[in-house]
Amino acid sequence: MKCSRVRRFLSAYHDGEIAGPKREEIARHLEGCAVCRQELEALKAAVETIRAAEVPDSPLYLATRVLAEIRQSGAGRAAARRPVWARVFASAAAVVLIAAGVWVGAMLGNGIAGSGSKANGTNEWPFEGTEPSFAEVYESMFTEE
Ligand SMILES: [Zn+2]
């Protein structure tokens, strides 16, 4: 077997995709050919490097996987047809929405506590007990004193 032929099958050989007499033939050639052996070592090193970079559960890996899943979903496919700036804008908008949600949540929290203290004329929590039930909070929003 010629070196050029061995090189062509080297990747498949390394991945175990070649079996039987062809594999033996390549193995025999590698035994006697230092240049092809070196080529196989280089291939192994490259594969190791790629595998080491794909550490599962790393933030980058997770982000890549999440993005891949979004792309596979219908919404993602529609988004993928949009130009890059639109996708960047959509991502930025999502971040702004989350930030706005947190901000509004904080404002609402302050608002309920603030209006309560105004209605009572005191700084005490307007509801009986420490943990108002959802029904109590809901009712208080529509009850005028
Ligand atoms: Zn060779």
Side-chain angles (χ1 to χ4, degrees):
M1 202 183 244
K2 277 191 206 165
C3 286
S4 61
R5 199 168 149 76
V6 169
R7 303 278 171 81
R8 217 176 336 140
F9 294 118
L10 220 49
S11 177
Y13 173 85
H14 175 263
D15 294 342
E17 285 163 13
I18 291 172
K22 202 171 176 185
R23 186 171 187 88
E24 281 165 35
E25 209 180 327
I26 293 168
R28 253 203 313 279
H29 178 98
L30 286 170
E31 266 173 47
C33 180
V35 182
C36 284
R37 256 198 327 263
Q38 223 165 40
E39 197 75 14
L40 182 66
E41 287 307 312
L43 184 73
K44 267 187 201 169
V47 170
E48 291 295 313
T49 307
I50 292 164
R51 281 200 188 134
E54 288 175 1
V55 181
D57 297 324
S58 77
L60 187 67
Y61 171 82
L62 267 179
T64 311
R65 211 180 54 182
V66 167
L67 279 175
E69 273 167 29
I70 290 169
R71 264 187 224 117
Q72 273 169 15
S73 74
R77 271 201 300 277
R81 280 196 298 270
R82 276 188 257 143
V84 174
W85 65 263
R87 273 178 279 160
V88 169
F89 179 79
S91 308
V95 172
V96 169
L97 269 177
I98 291 163
V102 170
W103 185 78
V104 167
M107 287 300 115
L108 276 178
N110 286 343
I112 289 170
S115 67
S117 56
K118 255 177 240 156
N120 287 351
T122 66
N123 284 327
E124 277 167 40
W125 183 246
F127 306 103
E128 292 293 321
T130 47
E131 288 273 320
S133 70
F134 174 75
E136 277 178 307
V137 174
Y138 185 80
E139 231 172 87
S140 77
M141 296 198 302
F142 298 99
T143 312
E144 282 178 39
E145 287 178 40

